[in-house]
Amino acid sequence: MADRNRNLAGLVVDAAVSNGVALDELPWQEELSGLAGRVSCFFIPGTPLQDAMTAASLAPIDRGVVQHSDQLAALAPQARYIAGSWYLAPPSKPTGAQAASRALALQLVQLVTADADTHEIEAVLRRDPALSYHLLRLVNSLGMGMSRQITSFSQAILILGRAQLRRWLNLMLFSSRANDERSAMLLARVAVRARAMELTAKAAGVDKSTQELAFMAGMFSLLGILFGMPLAEVLKPLKISTTLLNAVLEHEGDLGQLLRLIECIERKETAAAATLLAQWQVPADEFNRLLIEAHGWMLDVVQESRGAGHA
């Protein structure tokens, strides 16, 4: 859920009972309690699992202060939170400055995906102050055993490494769009999706390169919504593998089915999700744990994008 400023404000946990039997303690209760210690977590009153949820430090949600919307809309005076998929709605028509910023962001994605020369990436970074600022602050905050501040883009790119640069840059695309009130929640959504796909691939025992592809598939899958363009059109200039492209556009192959699994979870299509999860041979309790881990990672990303404070 978002607050009135459209920033992440809390999570609503929706869990079903096992075999119709309410549990006093959840198999992943410790992990859930840890998440609730970082961000406000709620449950829907009346759930058979409410005792376990309460024990994990979750609170019942007051539906009277939550406005549900699937479109960008004004908030009612009494609404403290906004829920729903409103941030997946098409963006407003960008101004000239916003369009230029998005063009630069997409150009950066193209360069990093194509493993372009560092000087080419640096030249584009210099034209996007927001991304430049986030990159230098990220590298300096990591420490990396350096005794002095990193002030050049070439140093930052070298220290971070191309794989981590690609991952970070795609995440920052979702958080650095000026005057797009969807940005904060889109960032949260894509961070959970990408990390959950990566962790599920890891739990299924696939190799490291496939885990990275799973993360990138989750990331690329929401670029169309970010830019307000058909996804195929956004991805067309990017030099990505046919496997990754078909997974994102057509849900083909193992990666495509993994993307479909996470999308079913997002839409609360539990029966379809269970069928897909069985194909990956990941136990349900382990999958719930990795979903909690993905949300924790998302909180780190959100905090980094804000620059300070807590999610």
Side-chain angles (χ1 to χ4, degrees):
M1 297 187 300
D3 59 21
R4 294 188 65 87
N5 294 320
R6 312 279 179 167
N7 292 318
L8 179 70
L11 303 172
V12 178
V13 178
D14 186 11
V17 296
S18 177
N19 299 320
V21 178
L23 301 175
D24 293 327
E25 184 171 320
L26 301 165
W28 24 269
Q29 187 149 329
E30 183 177 349
E31 292 86 347
L32 184 59
S33 181
L35 186 66
R38 299 187 59 192
V39 65
S40 298
C41 291
F42 303 94
F43 63 85
I44 299 172
T47 173
L49 294 174
Q50 64 181 21
D51 289 344
M53 295 285 193
T54 301
S57 302
L58 276 70
I61 187 68
D62 179 358
R63 296 183 181 182
V65 298
V66 179
Q67 179 173 319
H68 191 284
S69 178
D70 292 329
Q71 298 293 329
L72 287 167
L75 289 176
Q78 73 274 15
R80 291 177 56 193
Y81 304 107
I82 178 171
S85 57
W86 56 271
Y87 51 88
L88 300 180
S92 58
K93 186 176 181 179
T95 64
Q98 289 171 328
S101 177
R102 289 175 179 175
L104 281 177
L106 189 55
Q107 186 179 354
L108 276 168
V109 173
Q110 294 170 2
L111 289 172
V112 176
T113 302
D115 202 26
D117 183 80
T118 297
H119 294 299
E120 294 181 74
I121 298 171
E122 185 177 355
V124 178
L125 275 169
R126 290 180 183 278
R127 295 160 59 194
D128 193 319
L131 286 173
S132 301
Y133 165 77
H134 280 295
L135 173 62
L136 292 176
R137 187 167 55 77
L138 170 65
V139 174
N140 282 300
S141 69
L142 292 176
M144 309 294 286
M146 304 297 290
S147 59
R148 57 188 176 84
Q149 289 286 98
I150 302 303
T151 57
S152 78
F153 297 125
S154 57
Q155 283 181 305
I157 293 169
L158 178 63
I159 291 171
L160 198 59
R162 287 304 181 96
Q164 287 303 314
L165 175 64
R166 182 168 58 247
R167 175 176 296 212
W168 168 85
L169 178 58
N170 277 283
L171 284 167
M172 287 301 100
L173 286 180
F174 289 85
S175 66
S176 298
R177 307 278 55 84
N179 301 318
D180 186 348
E181 58 186 346
R182 308 170 308 148
S183 287
M185 295 303 290
L186 258 181
L187 173 64
R189 179 68 163 261
V190 78
V192 171
R193 178 183 288 192
R195 183 62 170 159
M197 288 183 64
E198 179 184 32
L199 291 173
T200 304
K202 181 179 181 180
V206 303
D207 59 76
K208 185 68 176 177
S209 63
T210 304
Q211 295 173 32
E212 178 67 19
L213 281 176
F215 182 92
M216 297 310 295
M219 189 68 57
F220 285 149
S221 66
L222 286 172
L223 280 179
I225 289 173
L226 173 67
F227 288 104
M229 298 164 54
L231 182 56
E233 186 177 335
V234 177
L235 297 179
K236 188 176 181 179
L238 304 185
K239 296 179 180 179
I240 60 178
S241 69
T242 302
T243 298
L244 182 54
L245 188 65
N246 290 343
V248 173
L249 294 180
E250 308 293 342
H251 292 88
E252 289 185 0
D254 290 341
L255 282 179
Q257 291 305 296
L258 182 54
L259 174 59
R260 193 183 298 278
L261 164 62
I262 301 303
E263 289 174 341
C264 285
I265 293 295
E266 292 169 351
R267 295 191 296 263
K268 300 181 182 180
E269 298 172 357
T270 54
T275 299
L276 289 165
L277 185 61
Q279 296 175 10
W280 284 85
Q281 299 182 341
V282 176
D285 287 341
E286 183 178 357
F287 182 67
N288 283 326
R289 287 189 177 92
L290 68 84
L291 283 179
I292 294 171
E293 182 179 345
H295 279 81
W297 188 81
M298 173 271 292
L299 294 178
D300 293 336
V301 170
V302 169
Q303 182 172 334
E304 163 61 25
S305 74
R306 291 178 177 174
H310 299 282

